[in-house]
Structure formats: structure tokens, C-alpha cells
Amino acid sequence: MKIFVAGATGVIGRPLIAQLVAKGHDVVALTHSSENAQTLAEQGVEPALADVFDADAVKAALVRTQPEVVIEQLTALPKTYTGESMSAAAALNTRIRREGGANVLTAAQAAGVRRYLRQSIAFWGVPGTGLANEETPLAFDASPAVAADAHTVTEIERRLLETPNIEGIALRYGFLYGSGTWFAADGDVANQVRQQQFPIVGNGEGVWSWLHIEDAAIATVAAAEQGNPGIYLITDDRPLEVREWLSAYARWLNAPPPPQISVAEALKVGGADAVYYGTQMQGASNAKAKRELNFQPRSLEWLVGATVAYAS
């Protein structure tokens, strides 16, 4: 198939491009950088030069290349994972997802694209017992940044899924790890853990669902080839409470055990969002992806050989 990728040079975009090319797809990648265009061309990818905020240029690129499928992986996230850096990046990240994504979707309609996939988020389900699935409501009443993102996710998913004449698929990814991510051994969170700057908050019962970037790429290709329209939660098999995954992660890094702070301390230092992530986050079920996409995620790399209690 001819597949157009927006966000091809991001943390998921890079392995995604490699997977698509390896499977013999004809790939076009949107970029606003001449340097990135040359790198993409060397990988056997046709670059399409355009600024995602330039609606006319994006439309021209889609109409010219005439893809069957569009995969949108647009984000603008910082290299560091702190409350300050995430807050500073939030406005541009929201704009690129809302406005940039809208430009790509409108252009896809004009080009007669058959299928459209976009990146979304797996861990905004309303807190509760068990694991969230594709029908679980999102946490609109959560802490400020979480609630804002839940509203953004809902808006962009609805926009896609209600677009006529396009098979829309929203891929809600778990917390990403692997090369180039915050959680890689040389990533920002790893450095914070080594310096004991990433604590367990309260009882540490917030449940996180994980996803290796290579598995994100594999699942995305499968969805492009055979997925049904709708939402998929793309996560691994082992949702884990923070106190479990963070302690195991520190051991894997040969770092000191993570410190533990009270909810009151976390509210002062990191605010309500830090408390939500540490104590209220709900894990996600990948049952639909396994059933419909034959998704077979790998084990979380810092748990190999470790014994932990999994959330369910």
C-alpha cells in the first residue's frame, strides 16, 4: 500500500518507517526539514516537504502523492520529563495535535484517503478497579493536566471517527520505553531515578501500562493493514503499580531504591498531577488489540527475570 506518515521522525515514527519499508509498503513522509528529507530519502522513503500548520501545503502534498492510508504521529514533546518541561511544551503539543492534525485530516479527505490512523493515549481512563478498555470513559475530572489532555484526546478522536468516507482508527499507546524515550537507560527519567529525583508517591498504587516503541510500530502497521475502524488500546500485558515498576526499574539501572514521599509532599513539589500519576492512574487492557491485530507485545525489559505483583 501507499502510506503517508505525518510525524515520521519522532520516537515512534522512526521505527514505524522502518517497519513499513521492511514490509514492502510505498511510504511518503511529511517533514518540514530539508535535512530530515534527505535522511528519509536515504531510507527509501519519499519525503513531502511542508509545514504541518500550512494547510494548503499539507493538502498539496496529500493530493500529489495520493496515498491509500495516512498515519498521523504528530507530537511536540520535550527531551526531559519534568512538570516544568511538560508544562512548557503543552501549548505547542496541543496545537500540533489539534491544528496540525486537523490540517492533515482535511487534506486526507481532499485526497480521497481510504484509511486514517492517529496516535492517542491509553492511560487517561477514569480511575477504578480492574483495567480500562476501549469503552471506559476518560478522566475529565482528574488533575488539571490530565483532564486537559483527556479533553484533547476526546476531541481529536471524535473528529477522526466521525469523519465521513474515511476508516478512522485511534491507537491509544501506553507509556513508551525503548531507545530514544525518557525511560531508556540513557533517558531523562533514568537519570532522575539515579539521582533519586523520581519518588514513589504515597502508597504508589497508580497503575501504569507500558509499550515498547518497536511494539508500537508493529501494532500500528497491523492496524494499517487489517484493523477495524474505532479505538485500540496498544499496551503490553503487564500493567504495574508505580511502587512495583519503579523499584524494579531502579534495580535494572543499578540505581539506589526510589525515595517515598507522602501525598502532601507530592502536592507541594509536583502538584495534583504528580499525585494522580503516582496513586490514581488506571491500567489498560490490550485484549482487543491481541484479538483483532494479533498483537504480541514483549515483556517490559527491566522486569525480565524479576518477580513482581501485576495489577489486574
Side-chain angles (χ1 to χ4, degrees):
M1 292 187 295
K2 192 166 192 177
I3 299 177
F4 187 102
V5 180
T9 57
V11 70
I12 297 177
R14 291 189 293 271
L16 173 60
I17 289 291
Q19 290 279 345
L20 290 170
V21 171
K23 296 202 71 175
H25 293 294
D26 184 3
V27 183
V28 181
L30 183 69
T31 180
H32 67 276
S33 161
S34 298
E35 183 179 350
N36 285 342
Q38 182 174 342
T39 301
L40 290 164
E42 291 168 355
Q43 295 173 313
V45 174
E46 177 186 348
L49 272 168
D51 186 326
V52 75
F53 296 121
D54 185 337
D56 291 337
V58 173
K59 180 179 177 180
L62 266 294
V63 171
R64 176 181 61 81
T65 56
Q66 288 290 295
E68 298 171 67
V69 177
V70 168
I71 303 176
E72 181 196 326
Q73 299 280 0
L74 296 172
T75 59
L77 295 172
K79 293 187 180 299
T80 59
Y81 185 65
T82 66
E84 294 78 13
S85 62
M86 294 297 286
S87 294
L92 177 58
N93 190 44
T94 299
R95 184 186 175 212
I96 200 168
R97 290 191 293 169
R98 283 182 169 163
E99 183 183 333
N103 288 341
V104 177
L105 180 57
T106 299
Q109 284 182 283
V113 167
R114 173 178 61 87
R115 171 168 290 199
Y116 192 110
L117 291 74
R118 69 147 297 113
Q119 178 183 145
S120 193
I121 299 172
F123 37 85
W124 293 155
V126 170
T129 57
L131 301 177
N133 60 31
E134 287 76 7
E135 305 303 320
T136 302
L138 299 190
F140 298 132
D141 296 324
S143 56
V146 174
D149 232 10
H151 281 287
T152 298
V153 164
T154 299
E155 176 188 326
I156 59 181
E157 287 184 351
R158 181 181 294 129
R159 180 178 65 201
L160 171 59
L161 300 178
E162 293 179 355
T163 298
N165 304 318
I166 282 183
E167 298 172 357
I169 299 176
L171 300 172
R172 294 182 179 175
Y173 301 128
F175 285 95
L176 297 171
Y177 72 98
S179 178
T181 70
W182 295 316
F183 293 91
D186 59 352
D188 185 62
V189 172
N191 291 332
Q192 291 182 47
V193 170
R194 291 186 181 100
Q195 296 167 25
Q196 291 193 293
Q197 295 175 348
F198 202 103
I200 297 170
V201 175
N203 56 21
E205 289 183 352
V207 179
W208 292 35
S209 289
W210 295 91
L211 180 65
H212 194 282
I213 54 168
E214 295 287 348
D215 288 338
I218 291 167
T220 302
V221 174
E225 294 174 337
Q226 67 192 56
N228 295 310
I231 296 169
Y232 288 89
L233 291 171
I234 309 295
T235 66
D236 72 8
D237 293 328
R238 303 299 188 190
L240 283 170
E241 293 181 345
V242 173
R243 59 188 177 189
E244 298 287 351
W245 74 255
L246 184 50
S247 297
Y249 183 56
R251 289 192 293 271
W252 180 68
L253 293 170
N254 293 318
Q260 189 162 2
I261 64 174
S262 69
V263 168
E265 289 175 288
L267 283 170
K268 291 179 182 177
V269 175
D273 293 304
V275 173
Y276 183 90
Y277 275 78
T279 65
Q280 295 176 272
M281 190 82 73
Q282 185 182 28
S285 167
N286 64 9
K288 180 180 177 182
K290 295 184 81 171
R291 183 175 65 249
E292 297 189 13
L293 304 178
N294 193 31
F295 182 49
Q296 298 175 359
R298 69 200 69 193
S299 298
L300 190 59
E301 60 188 346
W302 59 82
L303 294 185
V304 177
T307 301
V308 297
Y310 298 123
S312 61

